[in-house]
Amino acid sequence: MRIAIAGAGNVGRSIATELVDNGHQVMLIERVPRMVRPERVPAAEWILADACELSSLQEADLSSCDVVVAATGDDKVNLVVSLLAKTEFAVPRVVARINRAENEWLFNEQWGVDVSVSKPRLMAALVEEAVSVGDLVRLMTFRQSEANLVEITLPETAPYVGHPVREVPLPHDSALVAILRGKRVLVPTPDDPLEAGDELVFVVTSEMEDAVRAVILGADSVENTRKKRGPQFF
């Protein structure tokens, strides 16, 4: 894919390096001259420009990009870049970095954001994921589709431990996309059995999260979660 990244700070460069290593064509857009350091990601295309300027994005041929990543340390800049990428250049996929948690509500489809990544939310999710067995943990929100990436670590008491995937009656608007087992990442097939300790990764709409929780962990798991975390969790 051709991917444009606005912001060549530590975050932008790290993303660029990872994407280049995975074989993608990457363009880094940075407005501060001293931050333009092509030697740090030599395989990327570097552009000295203000990503909030429409003319700069036109010169960078943003419309040819499959993905735009707004990765600056300024939420206002990331919102403007996202909006321009989606509305002026019809970029299919826009990913935006959220720097301040209180601004998270702004990063939605109205601002052109398909996927938003909040460091505080991600860190909290990772903490929960590390300690939560037998609960649903939301890892990421896909704004355009109103779906979430969630994880459930199976306890030994889960109803479908030992059963193949085909026997799990998942509700509509949900999909099991990966099974993490030890150091392995498994793409689920109908015949794969579920094991205690498996980390199941789903894409599911917000309104169906409780239904997935009930299927995977048992019908009483939703009420138990409400009692444990309180009504503000929902």
Side-chain angles (χ1 to χ4, degrees):
M1 294 187 294
R2 177 170 167 79
I3 302 166
I5 301 174
N10 291 332
V11 173
R13 293 197 309 273
S14 296
I15 296 170
T17 299
E18 185 76 18
L19 292 171
V20 166
D21 289 345
N22 288 336
H24 300 293
Q25 182 183 355
V26 175
M27 173 174 59
L28 276 162
I29 305 172
E30 173 58 53
R31 67 179 180 86
V32 180
R34 63 180 175 82
M35 296 295 292
V36 179
R37 302 284 297 276
E39 70 277 6
R40 294 189 173 184
V41 192
E45 176 186 359
W46 287 72
I47 295 178
L48 176 61
D50 187 343
C52 291
E53 292 288 340
L54 187 60
S55 58
S56 297
L57 299 180
Q58 288 172 336
E59 291 180 10
D61 193 19
L62 207 70
S63 60
S64 69
C65 293
D66 301 290
V67 182
V68 165
V69 182
T72 79
D74 188 325
D75 285 344
K76 296 188 295 295
V77 171
N78 291 342
L79 284 171
V80 171
V81 170
S82 298
L83 186 63
L84 290 175
K86 184 65 70 174
T87 60
E88 299 295 330
F89 299 95
V91 175
R93 190 75 162 169
V94 176
V95 180
R97 170 190 178 187
I98 305 173
N99 295 279
R100 299 179 64 86
E102 61 266 30
N103 295 332
E104 187 172 345
W105 66 278
L106 286 166
F107 286 73
N108 55 36
E109 66 277 0
Q110 292 179 332
W111 279 93
V113 178
D114 295 312
V115 180
S116 61
V117 181
S118 167
K119 284 186 176 180
R121 169 177 283 189
L122 184 57
M123 291 177 70
L126 291 173
V127 170
E128 285 188 297
E129 190 272 337
V131 300
S132 298
V133 175
D135 200 359
L136 182 148
V137 177
R138 185 180 296 178
L139 301 175
M140 183 179 294
T141 297
F142 301 97
R143 298 289 183 182
Q144 190 175 47
S145 62
E146 298 182 357
N148 302 312
L149 188 70
V150 305
E151 182 268 350
I152 298 176
T153 301
L154 288 182
E156 293 182 356
T157 55
Y160 288 96
V161 167
H163 293 250
V165 169
R166 65 173 178 272
E167 294 184 7
V168 181
L170 286 178
H172 64 87
D173 293 333
S174 65
L176 176 62
V177 295
I179 300 173
L180 310 183
R181 183 173 295 159
K183 295 182 179 180
R184 301 176 61 200
V185 178
L186 306 177
V187 177
T189 68
D191 295 325
D192 285 329
L194 300 180
E195 299 180 4
D198 280 354
E199 296 179 53
L200 307 184
V201 180
F202 298 88
V203 175
V204 57
T205 59
S206 297
E207 64 181 12
M208 298 307 296
E209 284 184 359
D210 279 354
V212 170
R213 182 190 281 112
V215 168
I216 300 300
L217 298 174
D220 60 348
S221 63
V222 175
E223 185 61 31
N224 290 341
T225 298
R226 287 198 177 101
K227 290 178 180 178
K228 181 173 66 173
R229 297 194 176 187
Q232 72 275 12
F233 179 71
F234 297 91

